[in-house]
Short mmCIF file of all heavy atoms in Angstrom, two decimals:
data_model
loop_
_atom_site.label_atom_id
_atom_site.label_comp_id
_atom_site.label_asym_id
_atom_site.label_seq_id
_atom_site.Cartn_x
_atom_site.Cartn_y
_atom_site.Cartn_z
N PRO F 84 18.55 -128.80 110.77
CA PRO F 84 18.34 -129.60 109.61
C PRO F 84 19.38 -129.52 108.69
O PRO F 84 19.97 -128.47 108.35
CB PRO F 84 17.03 -129.16 109.12
CG PRO F 84 16.34 -128.40 110.27
CD PRO F 84 17.46 -127.82 111.01
N TRP F 121 31.62 -136.76 125.01
CA TRP F 121 30.78 -137.09 126.27
C TRP F 121 30.84 -138.73 126.44
O TRP F 121 30.99 -139.13 127.50
CB TRP F 121 29.34 -136.66 126.14
CG TRP F 121 28.50 -137.02 127.25
CD1 TRP F 121 28.45 -136.37 128.45
CD2 TRP F 121 27.56 -138.17 127.36
NE1 TRP F 121 27.42 -137.01 129.28
CE2 TRP F 121 27.08 -138.10 128.62
CE3 TRP F 121 27.34 -139.14 126.47
CZ2 TRP F 121 26.12 -138.98 128.99
CZ3 TRP F 121 26.37 -140.13 126.93
CH2 TRP F 121 25.70 -140.08 128.15
N LEU F 138 17.40 -150.90 117.38
CA LEU F 138 18.74 -150.47 117.06
C LEU F 138 19.00 -150.05 115.55
O LEU F 138 19.53 -148.91 115.43
CB LEU F 138 19.62 -151.63 117.29
CG LEU F 138 21.20 -151.46 116.88
CD1 LEU F 138 21.82 -150.46 117.89
CD2 LEU F 138 21.90 -152.69 116.82
#
Side-chain angles (χ1 to χ4, degrees):
W121 179 82
L138 175 72

